[in-house]
Amino acid sequence: MGSRGSQRSVPGHSIVLTRPRPPPGRAAGAPYAARVATPWWQSAVIYQVYPRSFADANGDGIGDLEGLRRHLEHLVWLGVDAVWLSPIYRSPMADFGYDVSDHCDVDPVFGTLDDADRLVAEAHAAGLKVLLDWVPNHTSDQHPWFVDARRSRDSARRSWYVWRDGRDGGPPNNWRAAFTGELRWELDPATGERRPRAVEGGTGVDPSAWTLDPATGQWYLHLFLPSQPDLDWEEPAVVEAQLDVLRFWLDRGVDGFRADVIHAIGKDPALPDDPPELALVPKSGTNDQPRTHELLRQIRALLDGYPGERMIVGEVYLLDTARVATYYGDGDELHLAFNFPPLMARWRARTWRRQVTEVAEQVDPVGGWPTWVLSNHDNPRHRTRYGTEPRARAAAVLLLGMRGTPFLYAGEELGLEDADVPADRRVDPGGRDGCRAPLPWTRADGHGWGAEPWLPFPPEAGARSVEAQREDPGSVLHLYRRLLAARRASPALAVGDLELVSAADDQAVLAWTRTAGEDRRAVAVNFTAEEQAASLDAAWVVEVASDGAGEGQPFTGRLGPDQAVVLRPA
Ligand code: GLC
């Protein structure tokens, strides 16, 4: 590792992130004019759909595949390149689809396999790639595999899950499950250190990652809910069965997968106790085993065996960029790995400088192509975290100005805040309902949903609806559209090198340039509510401004309060 990518530190305060490694078979240093020469998932912007909350065609208050199909036009108009769907498979919905009971069928609440085929075909016809969520670490306890496994110690599929005898009348070790309602593994926004943090919500269930199965007298492992037993990837039949799931969907034409908690699949076979300082932290945030890398190489080989640049982006929930970087392997594991420290970072210039620098120092040297995420279905939306719309707008400029593949979470293009979900409507065992509120499509009450949706709408749903914002050129929605158009039109923004230009001690502004051959852009973000100087000279024209101010005009060298800009050479 480390031989193919390179990172240069230049004197002074700049950091240079170098261009992506050329795809196999292409000469190093190929000109960026050949943007098409980079794999699609490097220049793409990927849009996450949480199917329950996106659009409801059959009027039952829960989003479905037909609802998404009818709104593909929104994604094309917006200008994203690919859509990732959170799980659509058959599921008892204890974790809203992340508890799969049949990997090769669509849950009736979302539609049918025919609906999925039609969606993929129409998305492709519209120029959009389609990624599905793949949940390799665990299944539902209702999955026929687990139903068989728990029937007896002699069941054919007993070895597909992790069974152990108890220890002194209790669970086999001290591992902790997620969603147990007390602690979560997070980054301290002030120091960047990992630490356990108390969370709201939760199930109030036993915090152990083990549940006793009384009928067979053994305990089974579950890093998440007791109804989500972990598969045992040491069992070759499990590997084959899960690779078959990938084949099933690849054969149907999907372009790749987002792999759920992929870092969790390989376990230490000795299942040792966690040290005391980790004993209160869910194991799903710390499990990091060499075995997973062997498995990923198999998974990657399968994808690479298909034509058409199929890809896999993995959720590596380790909150440590250096660890995340190892999941790219030597170009033979994940194509992309989610790196969540930026998702947890505070809205501060120096904090964000550290995020960019960390990626430069950790991901670039292994030849990995970075990812950037501000919002998803597991965390409060960034509009909610940062507190104001002007900041959320500036964050959109920051995200779409980064080097790496950005992921948008449906509704962030509307500037949605999390819904305030009253106690009697809370449904998620992980306390994540707020960010899963339904998308408002129309201004009028009902907002395009036939029935009362499964969760309440977010605040200001009418004014923030797609309908209202499409009519308003000054809206957040139009800002995202302009940013996506600018990114698509500029190789520098899409795949170019990144060089920080603001001073390391600048607490107000972060500015950088992007370069691909002759093509150049600059991005500057004011993290404060006061006007600031931008660390860039005036040889630029404002291409996109977070508040729309001055677009098409020469850049003055100053940024308004909470303003962020994309600049092109004058
Ligand atoms: C991932 C998903 C989350 C889910 C969990 C268990 O973290 O993003 O929504 O609850 O895995 O599958």
Side-chain angles (χ1 to χ4, degrees):
M1 295 209 299
S3 56
R4 288 193 262 168
S6 65
Q7 190 238 338
R8 288 174 287 139
S9 284
V10 298
H13 49 247
S14 17
I15 306 264
V16 174
L17 286 88
T18 57
R19 65 188 56 196
R21 183 175 66 211
R26 266 178 230 285
Y32 272 104
R35 179 186 153 199
V36 282
T38 59
W40 68 266
W41 41 267
Q42 288 190 347
S43 58
V45 176
I46 301 178
Y47 182 96
Q48 179 191 0
V49 162
Y50 195 69
R52 294 180 78 83
S53 305
F54 191 71
D56 176 19
N58 68 1
D60 65 356
I62 300 176
D64 44 46
L65 296 183
E66 176 61 12
L68 170 55
R69 190 189 67 79
R70 292 185 193 170
H71 286 95
L72 286 175
E73 184 271 343
H74 172 66
L75 305 188
V76 172
W77 178 88
L78 183 61
V80 298
D81 303 283
V83 57
W84 143 38
L85 277 68
S86 280
I88 58 169
Y89 317 110
R90 274 191 190 265
S91 165
M93 302 288 167
D95 190 12
F96 297 106
Y98 286 97
D99 49 324
V100 178
S101 57
D102 183 348
H103 300 90
C104 298
D105 201 1
V106 171
D107 193 275
V109 83
F110 297 129
T112 63
L113 269 179
D114 283 345
D115 292 332
D117 289 342
R118 187 170 175 202
L119 176 68
V120 172
E122 292 197 18
H124 284 168
L128 295 166
K129 305 275 189 190
V130 179
L131 307 179
L132 295 184
D133 222 301
W134 175 50
V135 189
N137 180 66
H138 45 267
T139 66
S140 163
D141 63 350
Q142 306 298 307
H143 195 294
W145 300 343
F146 189 73
V147 171
D148 180 50
R150 85 183 316 173
R151 198 158 30 221
S152 108
R153 292 193 186 202
D154 302 322
S155 291
R157 293 201 177 79
R158 184 72 171 180
S159 59
W160 286 36
Y161 294 84
V162 185
W163 296 95
R164 289 292 184 281
D165 294 331
R167 185 174 65 182
D168 308 327
N173 71 18
N174 69 354
W175 292 3
R176 206 176 168 96
F179 312 141
T180 49
E182 286 156 65
L183 295 167
R184 184 173 162 165
W185 199 221
E186 283 202 344
L187 287 192
D188 183 332
T191 63
E193 296 295 311
R194 300 197 301 167
R195 55 145 204 221
R197 184 177 76 79
V199 289
E200 271 184 58
T203 52
V205 299
D206 182 335
S208 173
W210 297 90
T211 290
L212 177 65
D213 177 50
T216 58
Q218 283 190 310
W219 301 70
Y220 65 87
L221 178 68
H222 53 87
L223 297 189
F224 294 89
L225 298 172
S227 57
Q228 292 171 294
D230 277 44
L231 285 162
D232 189 346
W233 280 76
E234 291 306 312
E235 166 56 61
V238 164
V239 181
E240 230 6 78
Q242 280 285 26
L243 294 184
D244 274 346
V245 171
L246 296 180
R247 291 186 188 103
F248 177 87
W249 291 103
L250 289 167
D251 289 341
R252 295 189 100 85
V254 306
D255 301 285
F257 302 92
R258 175 268 190 187
D260 189 60
V261 292
I262 191 72
H263 63 291
I265 61 175
K267 310 283 188 326
D268 183 333
L271 302 174
D273 270 341
D274 272 335
E277 68 276 14
L278 291 181
L280 295 178
V281 172
K283 183 72 181 171
S284 55
T286 59
N287 188 81
D288 185 21
Q289 290 291 318
R291 175 75 178 128
T292 302
H293 298 279
E294 291 170 26
L295 293 166
L296 277 174
R297 288 192 281 276
Q298 267 179 275
I299 292 162
R300 173 65 178 261
L302 187 153
L303 283 153
D304 286 351
Y306 274 78
E309 293 185 334
R310 314 294 173 106
M311 66 83 83
I312 183 163
V313 51
E315 183 197 22
V316 183
Y317 190 83
L318 290 173
L319 306 189
D320 176 336
T321 305
R323 301 306 315 156
V324 169
T326 66
Y327 286 78
Y328 289 90
D330 194 11
D332 54 359
E333 297 186 28
L334 295 173
H335 294 92
L336 297 174
F338 284 139
N339 179 45
F340 289 143
L343 174 63
M344 303 194 174
R346 266 204 287 205
W347 186 245
R348 292 196 169 179
R350 281 207 290 180
T351 307
W352 275 90
R353 185 188 176 86
R354 189 166 68 221
Q355 301 304 328
V356 173
T357 308
E358 277 269 295
V359 167
E361 289 174 356
Q362 306 297 342
V363 179
D364 216 42
V366 302
W369 181 247
T371 61
W372 296 93
V373 183
L374 291 179
S375 290
N376 65 22
H377 66 296
D378 288 331
N379 294 278
R381 288 181 177 277
H382 69 269
R383 163 69 181 82
T384 296
R385 296 198 314 275
Y386 299 156
T388 68
E389 180 178 312
R391 283 183 175 187
R393 285 171 173 259
V397 174
L398 172 132
L399 176 72
L400 292 167
M402 282 291 165
R403 173 181 176 274
T405 301
F407 286 75
L408 306 184
Y409 176 49
E412 79 171 77
E413 79 277 24
L414 304 175
L416 296 186
E417 287 180 82
D418 281 15
D420 187 9
V421 184
D424 63 348
R425 291 198 63 182
R426 289 186 198 149
V427 288
D428 176 44
R432 300 162 292 184
D433 295 320
C435 65
R436 298 174 178 182
L439 251 68
W441 290 97
T442 56
R443 207 188 262 110
D445 285 356
H447 306 303
W449 290 68
E452 176 70 12
W454 70 293
L455 285 172
F457 286 106
E460 303 176 275
R464 295 204 173 265
S465 65
V466 174
E467 180 186 33
Q469 295 202 44
R470 264 177 92 148
E471 290 165 7
D472 173 8
S475 64
V476 177
L477 178 59
H478 275 271
L479 168 65
Y480 270 86
R481 187 169 189 243
R482 292 199 302 283
L483 287 168
L484 287 162
R487 194 169 165 108
R488 194 172 264 196
S490 162
L493 283 176
V495 293
D497 299 345
L498 184 153
E499 182 171 5
L500 287 173
V501 294
S502 50
D505 61 357
D506 192 334
Q507 307 207 22
V509 171
L510 190 64
W512 61 93
T513 57
R514 303 289 312 276
T515 308
E518 297 298 303
D519 189 41
R520 293 195 79 209
R521 291 292 183 280
V523 182
V525 180
N526 179 359
F527 284 79
T528 75
E530 290 85 48
E531 189 183 297
Q532 302 286 348
S535 329
L536 286 160
D537 60 34
W540 300 93
V541 167
V542 179
E543 185 167 12
V544 183
S546 59
D547 55 1
E551 288 181 6
Q553 306 294 315
F555 181 54
T556 60
R558 299 196 69 78
L559 292 166
D562 296 309
Q563 194 193 37
V565 291
V566 175
L567 306 172
R568 59 180 153 76

